[in-house]
Amino acid sequence: MSSTPENPTPAPHNQQPTPGTTRIVAGQTGKPKRKRTLEVGLAAGLALLIGAGAAVASTVSRGTEPAAGTATETAAAPAAELRLGYFGNITHAPALVGVSRGLIAEAIGETKLSTQVFNAGPAAVEALNAGAIDATYIGPNPAINSYVKSKGESVSIVAGAASGGAQLVVKPEITSAADLAGKKLASPQLGGTQDVALRAWLGKQGYKTTTDGGGDIAINPTENAQTLKLFQDGKLDGAWLPEPWASRLVLQAGAKVLVDEKDLWDKGEFVTTVLIVNKKFAQEHPGTVKALLKGHAESVDWLNTASAADKATTLNAALKESAGAALPAEVIDRSLKNIAFTVDPLAGTYRKLLQDGVDAGTTSQADINGIFDLTALNAVLAEGSSGTRISAQGLGKD
């Protein structure tokens, strides 16, 4: 484990990628030209998929799957492949642990597990809607936005993953909201969960912002690694970030916490990461979704019972593979202290999350009843020893 700061740049050009894993990031990070050419190709390919929209999602072929039979046979058949998305963030630790320790692969049995790594939620949910992936760990606001735009046809939230672990960190001389006028801030991606939280909070402080970077305070959606570099170079005044990026700016760039998001929520509980699935995939392969949730629940259990040393070692190895670099022990330690890992998606917070998106200008007002399908999760929990049952709080099935 590294004891010195490392930039989260991809592995060297001559290093072989892990089979079945593709890194897809939003934003440009100044990579070497040869690698940039490859990434442009990847981005272009994803853009083509996204441009096809729902039509692609309903017709995409998973070539290695068995030929379709009767409706009953199709619904009962496990998927030949499960394509899973997640981020290289500590807030996505259940995914990092589930993939790196083989818990998800073991749970889904003969179904092949393929993974893709994203920088922020909007890019991941677009890939899900376009049929490029089948399930993804993601923040709640992009999931809500997709559900609203598709009139409930695109995705279902099937479990929670993490609560907490997001902060507005700023230059030390900024001591209050009043000091932010005319400043330049960053968020991971327009419409992402931290982007919505930042815009909604600024609105409550009396500031006006626009989705094109205008208004009283400029908000520049920026890839997380680039945000760290820009802050270190004095080109940003602050950013609303998930872990470990908030901790990296504090410990490696001299930032201070202006707002800890937990202070804005009742009992300090707010959802940072959930697990969502493409509805068509879930309808065709309910057994695979249940198996995924079994592996997910085991990952959360491991995070809540493993020693601090084991968690740090496992997460650092997974971060090195997915995000390109390990982290100093102090960053891992600070990040984990700010996060609670849970399969409960905290459904009671979603009406506020929706309203925050509306206030931020990134989501339309809509009815989100039906956004949850927690039946498979509760079946998994019933088979375990906890006896826990998770409620959809009137916003779907449980």
Side-chain angles (χ1 to χ4, degrees):
M1 181 161 51
S2 172
S3 60
T4 58
E6 294 182 81
N7 291 329
T9 53
H13 182 72
N14 60 358
Q15 182 174 320
Q16 294 300 312
T18 302
T21 301
T22 304
R23 297 189 69 244
I24 297 180
V25 298
Q28 195 55 257
T29 58
K31 299 178 179 65
K33 290 183 179 178
R34 288 180 296 172
K35 191 140 190 174
R36 186 173 180 178
T37 301
L38 174 60
E39 292 191 350
V40 169
L42 282 170
L46 180 57
L48 286 173
L49 281 169
I50 294 168
V56 176
S58 64
T59 59
V60 64
S61 171
R62 299 179 175 88
T64 55
E65 290 184 16
T70 67
T72 301
E73 290 171 341
T74 301
E81 181 180 14
L82 171 65
R83 298 165 299 173
L84 179 67
Y86 60 96
F87 310 167
N89 292 342
I90 301 295
T91 50
H92 285 232
L96 295 169
V97 167
V99 171
S100 66
R101 291 182 63 85
L103 298 176
I104 293 175
E106 181 178 355
I108 64 176
E110 295 183 0
T111 296
K112 176 185 175 182
L113 176 65
S114 298
T115 62
Q116 292 183 359
V117 179
F118 295 86
N119 173 68
V125 82
E126 285 172 353
L128 187 77
N129 290 341
I133 56 176
D134 306 305
T136 190
Y137 289 82
I138 198 170
N141 284 97
I144 291 171
N145 204 31
S146 175
Y147 188 86
V148 168
K149 286 183 175 179
S150 69
K151 295 180 172 56
E153 296 299 318
S154 59
V155 301
S156 291
I157 298 174
V158 295
S163 170
Q167 298 173 332
L168 172 58
V169 294
V170 297
K171 290 180 176 179
E173 60 267 27
I174 296 174
T175 61
S176 69
D179 296 332
L180 293 172
K183 295 295 192 290
K184 186 180 294 185
L185 305 177
S187 68
Q189 191 174 1
L190 178 65
T193 299
Q194 284 75 50
D195 181 72
V196 169
L198 173 57
R199 293 175 189 276
W201 181 79
L202 288 173
K204 290 178 175 64
Q205 310 311 307
Y207 291 113
K208 293 182 179 179
T209 62
T210 66
T211 55
D212 61 1
D216 301 323
I217 297 172
I219 300 177
N220 297 330
T222 307
E223 195 270 336
N224 291 322
Q226 190 72 0
T227 292
L228 175 62
K229 181 67 167 58
L230 290 171
F231 189 86
Q232 289 171 326
D233 292 344
K235 296 178 180 179
L236 277 177
D237 298 296
W240 199 298
L241 297 170
E243 294 292 5
W245 297 99
S247 289
R248 293 200 70 174
L249 263 70
V250 169
L251 297 173
Q252 298 177 331
K256 61 177 263 187
V257 177
L258 184 64
V259 179
D260 190 327
E261 191 172 346
K262 70 181 180 182
D263 296 333
L264 307 179
W265 292 87
D266 183 39
K267 300 179 182 178
E269 295 179 343
F270 67 101
V271 64
T272 313
T273 310
V274 295
L275 179 56
I276 66 174
V277 296
N278 177 287
K279 276 194 169 182
K280 180 175 184 292
F281 181 86
Q283 290 166 359
E284 292 177 350
H285 308 292
T288 301
V289 172
K290 183 180 177 183
L292 167 63
L293 287 167
K294 181 176 184 294
H296 168 64
E298 289 173 352
S299 300
V300 171
D301 286 344
W302 186 89
L303 282 162
N304 288 327
T305 56
S307 69
D310 284 348
K311 282 189 282 192
T313 300
T314 298
L315 289 173
N316 239 341
L319 285 169
K320 186 173 183 179
E321 182 171 316
S322 63
L327 294 173
E330 60 179 356
V331 173
I332 294 282
D333 183 59
R334 184 184 185 279
S335 298
L336 289 173
K337 287 177 179 177
N338 290 327
I339 306 169
F341 299 107
T342 175
V343 296
D344 188 344
L346 304 178
T349 65
Y350 278 72
R351 291 181 178 87
K352 181 180 184 302
L353 287 166
L354 170 64
Q355 188 59 52
D356 284 349
V358 172
D359 294 343
T362 60
T363 307
S364 300
Q365 189 62 260
D367 181 4
I368 57 171
N369 181 35
I371 194 170
F372 292 100
D373 187 347
L374 305 180
T375 53
L377 173 65
N378 281 320
V380 168
L381 295 177
E383 293 168 3
S385 58
S386 69
T388 303
R389 184 171 181 82
I390 307 299
S391 173
Q393 300 291 321
L395 294 178
K397 302 174 184 177
D398 55 21

